[in-house]
Amino acid sequence: MNRLEERVAVVTGAASGIGRATAERLAREGALAVITDVQDDAGEETADAIRKDGGRAAYLHLDVTDEDGWSAVVESVLADHGHLDILVNNAGLGDLAPIEETTLADWERTIAIDQTGVFLGMRACGEALKASGHGAVINISSIFGTSGGFGTSPAYHAAKGAVRTLTKNVALHWATEGVRVNSIHPGFIRTPILDQAKGTEVWDAMTALTPMGRLGEPEEIAAAVAYLASDDASFVTGLELYVDGGFLAR
């Protein structure tokens, strides 16, 4: 399937986990995947792996909290590839502390990456996306952008909730300008970070809380991104798509 033939996609936090699976899926569907991350070695390895698999990929260093860094990425993409069609704001940071133990520094760091990074990305890429003719933004939020979760991680919940609403706000603003903006809300996904919990009570609890009785795979999030990035979703904007095994249906 080549739904994204000749399109150029920027994916943040794409060196591993959901971001890597997303870059791989978009490349398999014909897009040139521009992998961005702060993990340069892992990012370059991801790009190499995609190219070895027959796809098109490039790597650019990007700290999503850096306004100038975003400008440099957009300039580089347009100079090297001529256009930008898809933006996937995936880079994120989690935290576990309750509000009493959350320092201001911790709060501001999580908000900067998970919320402000999404704002900076959409603002920096906006004009290029409008010029595309197939502009699509997919913001990775979370089930905890809607749910209060377990009463911990206040900065993460606040940021992901902001992404949910910001997505709708910009979707309305760009609705007649050729850019669709949607959010995906993953449930418990088996990323390398969570693999260390396998066989523990935490893993069992996440599984038990998921009606389908298992954790999701990064590739299942990537499939949802590919749909929203494609013309199959040409009349879809402002959507919050839950890929959570039924967690929020309870």
Side-chain angles (χ1 to χ4, degrees):
M1 186 182 300
N2 291 315
R3 292 184 295 183
L4 305 176
E5 193 73 39
E6 302 304 324
R7 298 185 195 179
V8 176
V10 168
V11 185
T12 69
S16 63
I18 291 171
R20 175 168 180 154
T22 295
E24 292 171 341
R25 176 61 183 259
L26 298 182
R28 283 199 302 273
E29 296 226 15
L32 188 154
V34 180
I35 290 126
T36 70
D37 210 299
V38 293
Q39 302 178 75
D40 294 330
D41 290 344
E44 292 282 10
E45 191 278 325
T46 297
D48 287 342
I50 290 172
R51 289 191 290 264
K52 288 176 183 176
D53 194 42
R56 298 182 301 147
Y59 175 74
L60 293 173
H61 178 89
L62 175 63
D63 174 350
V64 296
T65 69
D66 181 0
E67 184 175 9
D68 292 336
W70 270 110
S71 296
V73 163
V74 174
E75 289 173 9
S76 179
V77 168
L78 295 179
D80 292 344
H81 310 298
H83 54 101
L84 171 58
D85 310 286
I86 300 160
L87 170 64
V88 184
N89 281 309
N90 166 75
L93 173 74
D95 62 84
L96 295 173
I99 193 165
E100 297 89 346
E101 298 172 17
T102 300
T103 67
L104 179 58
D106 289 342
W107 169 274
E108 290 179 338
R109 181 166 182 256
T110 299
I111 295 294
I113 295 171
D114 292 2
Q115 177 180 331
T116 305
V118 174
F119 156 74
L120 290 173
M122 289 195 289
R123 192 181 66 174
C125 297
E127 293 308 313
L129 291 168
K130 291 175 190 177
S132 158
H134 299 279
V137 178
I138 299 93
N139 295 324
I140 306 301
S141 180
S142 168
I143 49 175
F144 294 150
T146 301
S147 158
F150 310 118
T152 57
S153 314
Y156 182 81
H157 286 68
K160 292 300 188 179
V163 169
R164 173 179 178 250
T165 307
L166 177 61
T167 296
K168 295 178 185 300
N169 176 267
V170 181
L172 293 173
H173 183 57
W174 286 345
T176 60
E177 298 196 58
V179 183
R180 297 177 297 101
V181 188
N182 296 289
S183 61
I184 290 179
H185 299 250
F188 301 115
I189 307 300
R190 193 172 66 84
T191 61
I193 293 175
L194 285 188
D195 269 346
Q196 60 189 316
K198 198 165 187 178
T200 69
E201 292 181 358
V202 173
W203 183 278
D204 293 342
M206 291 187 296
T207 303
L209 285 166
T210 304
M212 290 183 71
R214 67 172 177 86
L215 272 61
E217 299 293 335
E219 291 77 14
E220 293 175 302
I221 306 302
V225 173
Y227 160 67
L228 290 174
S230 77
D231 289 346
D232 284 346
S234 59
F235 198 53
V236 179
T237 196
L239 174 73
E240 50 191 84
L241 176 57
Y242 291 87
V243 186
D244 64 356
F247 179 88
L248 280 174
R250 289 189 184 277

